[in-house]
Amino acid sequence: MAGAAAARRDAFLARAGKHPLVMGIVNVTPDSFSDGGRFQEASAAVAQARRLVEDGADIIDVGAESTRPGHQPVSAEVEQARLAPLLGELVAAIDRPVSVDTSKAAIAGWAATQGAAFVNDVWGLQRDPAMADVAAEAGLGVIIMHNREEVDPGCDIVADMRRFFDHSLKLAAKAGIPLSRIILDPGIGFGKTRAQNLEALHRLTALRDYDLPVLVGVSRKSLLGPILGDGADHRLIGTIAANLVAAAHGASIFRVHDAAEHVAAFKVFEAIETA
């Protein structure tokens, strides 16, 4: 990993867990649930990354394969073809670390050569057997997200998350990834019922004993719809409300589409928490 990416990685990790940090989303896919097709061109993706940073984002997460429910998986070749025209330019355009949202070791390793500082793996090092070793060798920070192949309404979702994280952390340790480079994500919206998603947010304190930063990605997700009804404004209000609750329960990194609104909300949150 180049010196600039490593420095940005370490500076971000030094702040994680101490203050609410905002991860801005740049999807370069044609089919993401919220903004699919909007940022596929390099100029649009770079402009969006700059806009998110100007709005206060602390890190930018770039994804080239949709992971929404019912998504169509793509090959590593397609994923890299979507990223290749823009990732290096995007990294150079902003003074923030860049994370690549992928479960493919080949993409993570290639992204590191383009200046990415983190890999955001929605299968927590467990889908691609090479992911942990590649991330370790490249020096990437790792976001380990909980996921399930099938929804099981009867399972204790927090117990399941802990089993998943324990396995992922063993894989990370075996590969030589330091704990200081790991972030946990409960995987809101992935392999869970709506009730389990809400329970996972409510019980985030059950993850505190890992002593690792916790990232929450609930931005604009459909689980918020039945609570407030449809509409863009409702999705934003619901997202901010959910993220403030998550912050109160121990989360410290928030993957969002709307950076400015969250930065403002967290300023108020911290002012009250530290009064």
Side-chain angles (χ1 to χ4, degrees), residues 100-104 119-128 131 142-146 164:
V100 172
D101 184 353
T102 185
S103 293
K104 301 180 183 69
V119 58
N120 181 10
D121 185 355
V122 300
W123 283 101
L125 307 179
Q126 297 185 32
R127 174 54 61 88
D128 188 330
M131 180 63 90
V142 177
I143 299 165
I144 292 173
M145 196 195 83
H146 171 263
F164 185 97

Side-chain angles (χ1 to χ4, degrees), residues 173-209:
K174 183 178 179 181
I177 301 171
L179 276 174
S180 60
R181 292 183 190 165
I182 295 175
I183 295 164
L184 301 181
D185 178 350
I188 304 303
F190 290 81
K192 302 171 182 66
T193 66
R194 178 174 169 271
Q196 287 170 335
N197 282 313
L198 296 176
E199 182 181 2
L201 288 168
H202 179 66
R203 296 176 62 193
L204 285 176
T205 53
L207 304 179
R208 282 181 177 170
D209 60 317

